[in-house]
Amino acid sequence: MDFSFSRDQLLFQDNVRSFLINEVTPERIRELWLSDSGRSDQLWAQLMELGLTALTVPEEQGGMGMNELDFILLAQECGYAGLPEPLVDTMLIGVPLLAALDESHAVLKQHWLARVAQGRARLAIAEPGNQLVSDAHVADLLLLAHGDEVHAVEPGAVRLTRNVSVDPSRQLFQVDWTPTPSTCVAAGEQGQRLWAAAFNRGALGCAAQMLGLAKRMVDLAVDYTFERKQFGKPVGSFQAVKHLMASVAVQIEFAKGPLYRAAYALAEQQPGQEVLVSHAKLATAEAAMLAAKNTIQAHGAMGYTWEVDLHLFMKRAWALDKVWGDRGHHKGRIRAALFDGNPALGAGKTSDGDCA
């Protein structure tokens, strides 16, 4: 069985990585921190020109019809670059949520999905139970939760109150609005199902970005410790510093399997998605949090300064660790699967099928 990504998927990842590294520089991120919106229409237009805003939009609405497994490597690169724009939320959470609405909302789906594919609309999605909505101020359509109901609300019908985030790249707002029958697009069991799927995709998107962030922090620390010298030698040549980076590298490699397995499960609509997504979120969070701890130690006192780029990515990792389910929530889902269910555990039971 071949579990590797295809050549096309890897080539697309390389192209996106090259673009993001060249365009989403630490200097540009700092400039956006100082702007009123923290967002760039020019950068969003560049993402549209690359075709990234059409990736997960169904083909009938002018998109490419890709799934979670196709997008997961790109979400990882968005994390590596620290991309402030809501590309992952729009493409991995919002678009599939709209696309899953029933045919009674066909006109709404066609209108908004086509606009997203054309790069003319950004979506903001509320995490159920979380009062703060990311990027609500630049969203052309907000997908909000009211109990089990899904509401599609336009910006003119909401009032926003800005909230400060530990990560200045995250633009958080409390959204005050009034649910109405005209904005409700799903309710009851359908609403529960849509929000459950959105939650899994949101957690998966955070996990992919945290894996990219962990890798970026390690790369920054490696570069810094080979430039900085003590006793006439690069600090990175000392065994203690090598061990700090090696420990993170091991966690990054261990996190890849759960992340890609969870993406495959969502793409193929396999049972047990919740546990696989929680495993991915926990594994990538562990890698990212260890990366933040070890790389700031490798930087020494300079790691605490504003001028060093490390904090741009460290703060993003801290923020993503707490959204779409914190570690306590995801540990609870895994505990319930292990002790409340009847899982098939042990040798010979780790695959869905027999291997010759």
Side-chain angles (χ1 to χ4, degrees):
M1 299 177 69
D2 185 2
F3 294 104
S4 60
F5 288 97
S6 69
R7 179 179 296 180
D8 289 342
Q9 289 171 322
L10 295 175
L11 180 60
F12 199 6
Q13 180 189 19
D14 289 342
N15 291 335
V16 171
R17 180 191 300 123
S18 298
F19 167 79
L20 292 176
I21 289 298
N22 289 326
E23 297 295 333
V24 188
T25 61
E27 292 75 22
R28 191 170 191 176
I29 293 174
R30 285 186 169 90
E31 290 176 3
L32 291 175
W33 282 8
L34 298 176
S35 67
D36 291 336
S37 69
R39 297 293 176 262
S40 169
D41 291 337
Q42 179 187 2
L43 181 55
W44 190 260
Q46 290 177 290
L47 297 173
M48 180 271 294
E49 290 172 3
L50 279 178
L52 299 184
T53 60
L55 289 176
T56 59
V57 176
E59 294 180 6
E60 53 266 30
Q61 278 88 33
M64 300 181 187
M66 292 186 175
N67 59 31
E68 292 85 354
L69 188 63
D70 297 315
F71 191 76
I72 198 68
L73 294 177
L74 309 185
Q76 189 175 315
E77 296 306 325
C78 291
Y80 186 89
L83 177 68
E85 298 296 321
L87 181 69
V88 175
D89 283 3
T90 295
M91 304 312 301
L92 194 57
I93 313 173
V95 165
L97 181 56
L98 278 178
L101 297 178
D102 59 38
E103 288 308 307
S104 65
H105 300 287
V107 174
L108 180 143
K109 289 166 58 175
Q110 178 65 37
H111 174 75
W112 284 108
L113 290 174
R115 291 194 65 191
V116 169
Q118 297 162 6
R120 296 168 51 210
R122 284 174 275 198
L123 305 177
I125 306 91
E127 175 189 353
N130 189 342
Q131 295 183 349
L132 302 181
V133 180
S134 179
D135 290 292
H137 65 312
V138 295
D140 299 282
L141 182 70
L142 296 90
L143 299 173
L144 305 175
H146 179 64
D148 293 331
E149 297 174 351
V150 181
H151 288 257
V153 185
E154 297 192 28
V158 303
R159 183 167 57 87
L160 304 179
T161 304
R162 184 184 292 273
N163 280 257
V164 177
S165 170
V166 66
D167 172 22
S169 286
R170 280 180 62 78
Q171 300 291 316
L172 300 178
F173 294 84
Q174 181 172 330
V175 179
D176 294 315
W177 61 292
T178 302
T180 65
S182 63
T183 61
C184 183
V185 294
E189 291 185 6
Q190 183 193 19
Q192 291 179 7
R193 185 172 63 254
L194 291 178
W195 280 126
F199 184 89
N200 284 334
R201 291 192 302 270
L204 183 72
C206 288
Q209 291 177 83
M210 284 194 291
L211 187 66
L213 287 162
K215 183 68 167 60
R216 184 61 178 272
M217 287 185 278
V218 169
D219 288 349
L220 288 172
V222 169
D223 290 344
Y224 178 80
T225 54
F226 274 94
E227 291 176 1
R228 180 186 170 205
K229 291 182 171 58
Q230 282 187 348
F231 311 113
K233 295 182 179 180
V235 174
S237 66
F238 299 154
Q239 192 174 45
V241 176
K242 289 182 179 179
H243 285 173
L244 289 175
M245 298 302 100
S247 296
V248 182
V250 169
Q251 293 297 333
I252 290 173
E253 290 303 313
F254 280 154
K256 288 180 180 178
L259 176 65
Y260 302 152
R261 177 67 180 90
Y264 179 80
L266 292 185
E268 297 296 323
Q269 292 296 302
Q270 292 184 335
Q273 298 175 22
E274 295 80 5
V275 176
L276 295 171
V277 167
S278 290
H279 185 192
K281 183 86 179 326
L282 288 169
T284 55
E286 185 173 350
M289 295 304 103
L290 184 64
K293 175 185 175 183
N294 286 7
T295 56
I296 199 170
Q297 186 173 350
H299 275 74
M302 289 299 295
Y304 291 91
T305 62
W306 186 263
E307 290 76 13
V308 174
D309 293 340
L310 178 64
H311 73 100
L312 278 68
F313 307 96
M314 184 170 60
K315 290 173 179 175
R316 170 57 66 92
W318 287 345
L320 293 180
D321 179 43
K322 302 297 188 295
V323 296
W324 295 101
D326 60 14
R327 276 179 278 177
H329 176 87
H330 289 289
K331 286 179 181 179
R333 293 214 298 187
I334 291 177
R335 183 209 62 78
L338 288 174
F339 297 106
D340 297 343
N342 187 25
L345 304 175
K349 298 179 181 178
T350 57
S351 175
D352 293 333
D354 295 329
C355 295

